[in-house]
Amino acid sequence: GAVVSQHPSRVICKSGTSVKIECRSLDFQATTMFWYRQFPKQSLMLMATSNEGSKATYEQGVEKDKFLINHASLTLSTLTVTSAHPEDSSFYICSATWGGGYGYTFGSGTRLTVV
Amino acid sequence: DAKTTQPPSMDCAEGRAANLPCNHSTISGNEYVYWYRQIHSQGPQYIIHGLKNNETNEMASLIITEDRKSSTLILPHATLRDTAVYYCIVLSSGSARQLTFGSGTQLTVLP
């Protein structure tokens, strides 16, 4: 139980284009989802917290107009990287809480490469 | 949330027990200790969590000291597939707050 599906697993895009990453909770309702970013040889850094039906809360230094998060349903959150640049190349990971906040499940991650 | 301290790396022979330590000296009474691991280029995987009693599941055992200021994750019979970065995280459970990842311990299981 408590499975989170993240797609795509890998994406290569041209500089200046936008990329959407989806995160779905398959067997539970995810009121809260988190988006992380991980650069090579570094730990996961929280980008934003999204609650279903409300605006996401972004961490300091994360541009909300560049990383658009939508959490319109209890099973789907999306992260759109707008006007992507090579420095946005990273590993993006979503996570969702379940069991009233006692459990945390992660997606398999999306490797974004901007060329 | 309390900060944690872990050694940056450890080696373990295949088939032997891997004991990964974590210090969390500022942990408060309502904070749980969570362990996750991340195999290269994958999302983190839940291993185990506990409050003050020792816990065991099919993956590992968690030993928490009586004063709760440190804990040890034990993989009883490490395999090559257990090579990963292991993260010890302290969090008030039920709060639905984010998991904050430190630098973790890179465990390398050697053949």
Side-chain angles (χ1 to χ4, degrees), chain A residues 29-44:
Chain A
Q29 293 184 330
T31 307
T32 303
M33 285 190 173
F34 307 97
W35 287 94
Y36 293 83
R37 180 168 52 181
Q38 185 175 33
F39 292 108
K41 298 189 185 301
Q42 294 186 22
S43 189
L44 285 78

Side-chain angles (χ1 to χ4, degrees), chain A residues 36 38 43 101-102 104 107 111, chain B residues 34 36 38 91 93 97 99 102:
Chain A
Y36 293 83
Q38 185 175 33
S43 189
Y102 282 84
Y104 297 79
R111 175 75 59 192
Chain B
Y34 286 81
Y36 280 77
Q38 186 180 25
L91 185 69
S93 192
R97 295 177 60 191
L99 292 174

Side-chain angles (χ1 to χ4, degrees), chain B residues 30-107:
Chain B
N30 65 341
E31 290 180 317
Y32 284 71
V33 180
Y34 286 81
W35 282 84
Y36 280 77
R37 72 180 182 184
Q38 186 180 25
I39 296 169
H40 184 62
S41 292
Q42 297 183 22
Q45 177 189 22
Y46 168 80
I47 301 173
I48 200 167
H49 76 285
L51 183 62
K52 54 183 178 181
N53 296 323
N54 297 338
E55 302 287 345
T56 296
N57 62 20
E58 64 278 5
M59 288 182 68
S61 294
L62 173 60
I63 308 298
I64 303 174
T65 58
E66 193 168 342
D67 62 8
R68 302 210 321 123
K69 293 184 177 182
S70 65
S71 61
T72 301
L73 178 74
I74 301 172
L75 307 179
H77 305 286
T79 71
L80 299 179
R81 288 177 293 181
D82 292 322
T83 292
V85 179
Y86 287 76
Y87 296 99
C88 167
I89 301 168
V90 174
L91 185 69
S92 299
S93 192
S95 65
R97 295 177 60 191
Q98 75 278 5
L99 292 174
T100 300
F101 289 81
S103 51
T105 296
Q106 170 66 59
L107 174 69

Side-chain angles (χ1 to χ4, degrees), chain A residues 16-19 64-68 80-85 88:
Chain A
T17 62
S18 296
V19 173
K64 62 180 181 180
D65 295 328
K66 182 173 185 59
F67 299 98
L68 301 179
T80 301
V81 183
T82 63
S83 186
H85 291 286
D88 299 323

Side-chain angles (χ1 to χ4, degrees), chain A residues 7-72:
Chain A
H7 292 280
S9 58
R10 288 179 177 272
V11 59
I12 300 173
C13 72
K14 292 185 177 180
S15 187
T17 62
S18 296
V19 173
K20 180 183 285 189
I21 302 170
E22 289 191 351
C23 183
R24 292 181 184 273
S25 58
L26 298 186
D27 49 4
F28 68 102
Q29 293 184 330
T31 307
T32 303
M33 285 190 173
F34 307 97
W35 287 94
Y36 293 83
R37 180 168 52 181
Q38 185 175 33
F39 292 108
K41 298 189 185 301
Q42 294 186 22
S43 189
L44 285 78
M45 294 297 295
L46 180 70
M47 298 176 67
T49 301
S50 73
N51 291 295
E52 184 266 337
S54 62
K55 289 185 178 180
T57 301
Y58 290 82
E59 295 299 299
Q60 192 172 9
V62 177
E63 300 175 58
K64 62 180 181 180
D65 295 328
K66 182 173 185 59
F67 299 98
L68 301 179
I69 292 172
N70 184 285
H71 192 167

